[in-house]
Amino acid sequence: MNLSFPERIRVDAIIQAAMDMEAAPLLHELAPIGDDETPQAILAGSHKTQRFVLGILDGRTVLVVTSGIGLANAASATARALTLVEAPIVIAAGTTGGLARDINVGDIAAGTRAIYGQADATAFGYAMGQVPQMPVDYTTSEAAEERLPILRGLIDHTVRRGRIVSSDSFCTEANVGPMRERFPDAIGTDMETCAMAQVCWSSDVDWISLRAVSDLCGPTADQAFHMDGARAAAHSAQAVRAYLTLL
């Protein structure tokens, strides 16, 4: 038996955030398509914990996804989004914890590689963070990375490129030491990006993370420790909107 699915709508990008607060500055600027009075929105799941909104952002057709917090929510939301639309790239938006020693609150942590912080199959010969039979980590395309130097000239915030560590446990000052030891090149940590990236990898879709640092996992004495989440989300939204112009 052959299954037949309706044709997916083509968009310029999927933008995915975990929380309503992180999606808000993007949704606020989203315009409807064609003669629609408002952007088209779908609430998914019996508990309506995920939202998918289709509209125009700065001249680009986008699907803005609010996934919910955590790896499972991120993976399921990305998979759902890719059944709704056809997109060349998924962009992670919102906030992140700063992991690099010299990163600061308000910086854009441009994630071009993502790895799981707690996956451990080293007993079977896999690398730390690697899920068995999957890549060690997930990497964006050269094209996605090559836009970052241009992005730096378009926004007011520092853009740091590097690896993001994702886990279902928060990285705090109490446990940041072992995390930095395992992943010395990581710039940020969150609870969603790697799961999103894995779904993109399995679907042959590009991705990038443009989250803003809202807090530092282990600040030094001369660093600010925390930024208001809504303010950090606004930093991220500015970076995402600028990045869209480069697609």
Side-chain angles (χ1 to χ4, degrees), residues 41-206:
I42 300 172
L43 288 173
S46 59
H47 296 288
K48 298 186 179 358
T49 55
Q50 295 181 337
R51 179 180 290 107
F52 303 81
V53 186
L54 183 68
I56 303 293
L57 183 62
D58 300 328
R60 301 288 188 176
T61 304
V62 298
L63 183 72
V64 179
V65 178
T66 310
S67 68
I69 297 169
L71 298 173
N73 280 329
S76 66
T78 305
R80 277 174 161 165
L82 290 171
T83 63
L84 292 172
V85 300
E86 180 183 354
I89 190 168
V90 181
I91 304 172
T95 62
T96 188
L99 194 55
R101 294 183 186 277
D102 58 347
I103 203 166
N104 288 297
V105 293
D107 290 353
I108 302 299
T112 56
R113 290 189 296 152
I115 195 167
Y116 290 110
Q118 293 177 307
D120 187 352
T122 54
F124 300 98
Y126 292 96
M128 187 67 193
Q130 182 180 13
V131 173
Q133 301 183 16
M134 294 289 105
V136 173
D137 59 11
Y138 302 92
T139 305
T140 58
S141 69
E142 289 185 7
E145 289 200 49
E146 288 171 355
R147 299 181 188 113
L148 293 177
I150 306 172
L151 177 66
R152 291 187 176 100
L154 299 178
I155 63 175
D156 301 328
H157 316 300
T158 299
V159 177
R160 291 286 304 276
R161 179 175 65 182
R163 183 152 68 166
I164 302 298
V165 179
S166 298
S167 170
D168 271 327
S169 297
F170 283 106
C171 185
T172 66
E173 192 169 4
N175 59 20
V176 68
M179 188 70 75
R180 283 175 171 161
E181 184 177 345
R182 288 196 295 270
F183 308 108
D185 61 340
I187 59 171
T189 178
D190 63 28
M191 302 179 75
E192 293 86 23
T193 295
C194 192
M196 182 198 85
Q198 182 178 345
V199 174
C200 289
W201 172 82
S202 67
S203 304
D204 198 24
V205 172
D206 203 3

